Amino acid sequence: IAEETKNKFPMLMYDSATRNGRAVMSTSMRYLHENQIRERTLGLVTQFGRQTGRALADQIIDLLGRIDMDVDNIYATCTDMGRNMAKASDLIGEVQQQIHFYNGFLDDENDELTPTLMNDLLEEELAEERQENNGNEEMELPLGTFVSKMFCGAHACQLAAKSVSSEFEKELAEVRKIALEAKKIGYRHYFRNVKIPRNDVITRWDSSYMMIKDFADNKEQYEAIGYACKELQLSEDAWKFVLEFEKAFKPVHLAMQDFQKTNMTMSKLP
């Protein structure tokens, strides 16, 4: 990774999953190499305690250091819309600001910007500020955003779809009931020539779409099974909902697949 990213300006992507006080943060990097988009995982790091923006930013900077990547080379970050994730991106931008600020004091291109030198330069600048501001030690670093902060399109799409699909929980529950019933061994013989509908995970709208899609794609067969077995029969209103839901959410489902492709760019979006 260090060799491929030398003199490159990559985009960072990171996310964190937390359970029972333990979090695993995944950080990856996307960049252009030999006219191809490359994506490499920098690390899966286990953390304990609160996942603050500061903790995430420190971990990301540490991972960059392991491949000799300057923080200043990061041109963009992509993550979900969580406050801590956005804060981590802001803090990375602040580090870049400080690097630009201190680099302005270096006399030689070969000078190394070490923490000791940064402290010395800061003390000198504070001394000048005190003289100019009658003893006031407050000094403002130049602010602004260096790194471009982007939110994950797939995540935003997921949130929007989940918000809308949750309005139809009653209708989804009726279809879900039939899908669960179809799994019973006593009904397996009805599905010799057609697939058994998938069960969904209530918290994941896309799995609900795939369940609905199974019903829509096999409507004639499932209707015939319903006539033969009332326990597997959907009402007319339920069938109408199935067809409308599948039609409405199909573009969202396809967009989700595109968003998660490694070589997806804005120009390729439908």
Side-chain angles (χ1 to χ4, degrees):
I1 297 177
E3 184 63 28
E4 283 191 357
T5 57
K6 187 176 181 179
N7 299 323
K8 299 281 177 54
F9 297 92
M11 177 179 69
L12 283 180
M13 298 173 291
Y14 52 93
D15 200 358
S16 181
T18 304
R19 187 177 180 84
N20 296 328
R22 177 190 178 201
V24 177
M25 186 181 74
S26 170
T27 304
S28 59
M29 180 182 289
R30 184 174 291 186
Y31 52 91
L32 193 65
H33 181 71
E34 297 179 350
N35 295 321
Q36 295 291 326
I37 296 176
R38 290 284 182 87
E39 185 173 326
R40 296 286 185 265
T41 298
L42 298 182
L44 292 171
V45 182
T46 299
Q47 297 176 310
F48 297 91
R50 294 182 59 202
Q51 297 299 292
T52 63
R54 173 65 64 182
L56 295 173
D58 288 345
Q59 188 60 66
I60 292 169
I61 292 173
D62 178 68
L63 288 173
L64 292 175
R66 297 183 188 185
I67 61 169
D68 296 324
M69 167 65 70
D70 290 334
V71 178
D72 201 32
N73 282 26
I74 304 302
Y75 85 91
T77 61
C78 181
T79 185
D80 64 30
M81 291 181 281
R83 288 186 178 182
N84 57 340
M85 298 295 171
K87 182 62 176 178
S89 181
D90 291 338
L91 291 171
I92 291 172
E94 288 183 13
V95 171
Q96 292 180 336
Q97 292 165 11
Q98 292 174 14
I99 291 173
H100 277 266
F101 174 76
Y102 288 115
N103 276 337
F105 293 95
L106 299 182
D107 297 323
D108 193 308
E109 292 183 358
N110 295 321
D111 286 346
E112 183 179 357
L113 192 62
T114 63
T116 300
L117 179 56
M118 290 174 68
N119 288 331
D120 291 342
L121 292 172
L122 182 59
E123 285 299 324
E124 292 178 10
E125 189 67 14
L126 283 173
E128 295 180 6
E129 286 288 322
R130 281 193 293 269
Q131 292 180 354
E132 295 178 2
N133 298 316
N134 299 321
N136 184 3
E137 296 186 3
E138 182 178 356
M139 181 183 70
E140 294 184 1
L141 294 179
L143 298 180
T145 300
F146 280 74
V147 66
S148 296
K149 179 172 60 179
M150 297 184 292
F151 292 120
C152 175
H155 182 75
C157 194
Q158 288 274 26
L159 290 178
K162 177 60 179 175
S163 176
V164 175
S165 63
S166 63
E167 299 294 323
F168 303 100
E169 186 51 44
K170 180 179 178 181
E171 291 83 355
L172 287 170
E174 182 176 349
V175 180
R176 186 179 300 121
K177 179 181 178 181
I178 301 300
L180 288 170
E181 196 74 15
K183 297 291 185 186
K184 294 182 178 180
I185 296 178
Y187 300 128
R188 291 290 177 87
H189 61 283
Y190 288 112
F191 297 91
R192 291 172 181 169
N193 299 316
V194 65
K195 67 182 291 186
I196 297 175
R198 280 170 281 196
N199 295 133
D200 68 336
V201 179
I202 298 178
T203 57
R204 297 184 179 276
W205 78 268
D206 198 46
S207 70
S208 296
Y209 168 80
M210 296 307 296
M211 176 185 69
I212 292 293
K213 187 176 185 301
D214 284 346
F215 278 87
D217 289 347
N218 302 284
K219 183 175 183 294
E220 291 185 6
Q221 295 94 321
Y222 287 177
E223 279 187 320
I225 292 173
Y227 291 135
C229 179
K230 291 185 177 180
E231 287 77 6
L232 300 177
Q233 188 177 58
L234 278 178
S235 66
E236 290 186 10
D237 288 341
W239 274 117
K240 181 179 179 181
F241 164 76
V242 164
L243 299 178
E244 291 180 349
F245 188 96
E246 196 278 332
K247 182 179 179 180
F249 280 85
K250 182 178 180 178
V252 184
H253 170 74
L254 295 177
M256 283 294 305
Q257 306 306 306
D258 286 339
F259 272 130
Q260 297 175 74
K261 292 179 181 176
T262 301
N263 291 323
M264 174 55 60
T265 60
M266 292 296 290
S267 62
K268 294 180 181 178
L269 289 176

